[in-house]
Amino acid sequence: ITRLINFDPGLLKLSDDELQQKIADAPQLLINSNFEKGSRGALAALKEKVIVKVSGSQIGVLGIAFTGSNQSIGQILNVIQSKSRELKKEGCEQVICLLENPGDVFPYLSYRDFVENSQGVDWFFTDSDVLD
């Protein structure tokens, strides 16, 4: 069984060496599709997207974090669109997006805003069971 989790933005508070070690030691695969990898060398170890095989089907997974991303809403939506298109072109029948709560950074936004404005993503998994 493959377990996937979104990147914990709290890890950005660590030094580069500590961050690189945490990523290497993580028991699950850490995925983040929208952090600028050039800003911290240790972030290069993160996967931007992952393809997993389930019952013979390919499923693409991407992860979006808002805390620590320093990106606008439009930029984040563009990343979701771009990465989901890439996964579909690579043969994924379904695309899953792991989505941090946008309200933690953008208090006027909800999960629903991203779900309704993201094309190409078949399923969103969030860190809450409340869409608003």
Side-chain angles (χ1 to χ4, degrees):
I1 295 176
T2 304
R3 295 180 61 204
L4 303 164
I5 62 168
N6 200 0
F7 177 67
D8 175 5
L11 294 176
L12 291 176
K13 297 175 184 171
L14 302 174
S15 72
D16 265 354
D17 288 342
E18 292 170 324
L19 178 58
Q20 192 168 17
Q21 191 61 50
K22 280 281 196 185
I23 292 171
D25 292 345
Q28 299 93 6
L29 186 58
L30 296 174
I31 302 170
N32 183 274
S33 305
N34 68 307
F35 280 155
E36 294 294 325
K37 303 275 175 84
S39 64
R40 300 274 309 264
L43 294 178
L46 294 174
K47 300 291 185 190
E48 288 189 9
K49 58 187 179 178
V50 173
I51 297 175
V52 293
K53 292 191 184 215
V54 178
S55 300
S57 297
Q58 290 194 130
I59 310 253
V61 182
L62 54 105
I64 299 295
F66 299 96
T67 308
S69 72
N70 297 323
Q71 293 174 319
S72 70
I73 299 152
Q75 288 171 314
I76 293 171
L77 283 169
N78 286 339
V79 167
I80 294 171
Q81 296 308 106
S82 171
K83 298 295 178 197
S84 62
R85 273 195 302 268
E86 287 175 20
L87 287 164
K88 294 279 183 162
K89 284 182 183 176
E90 292 175 34
C92 293
E93 297 166 34
Q94 301 273 315
V95 173
I96 294 170
C97 180
L98 307 173
L99 186 67
E100 181 188 29
N101 184 356
D104 290 345
V105 175
F106 304 108
Y108 49 90
L109 289 178
S110 70
Y111 293 113
R112 187 177 304 281
D113 295 311
F114 281 84
V115 170
E116 291 174 352
N117 290 292
S118 297
Q119 300 157 352
V121 175
D122 299 290
W123 295 91
F124 283 88
F125 288 88
T126 69
D127 54 4
S128 172
D129 59 356
V130 179
L131 282 179
D132 293 321

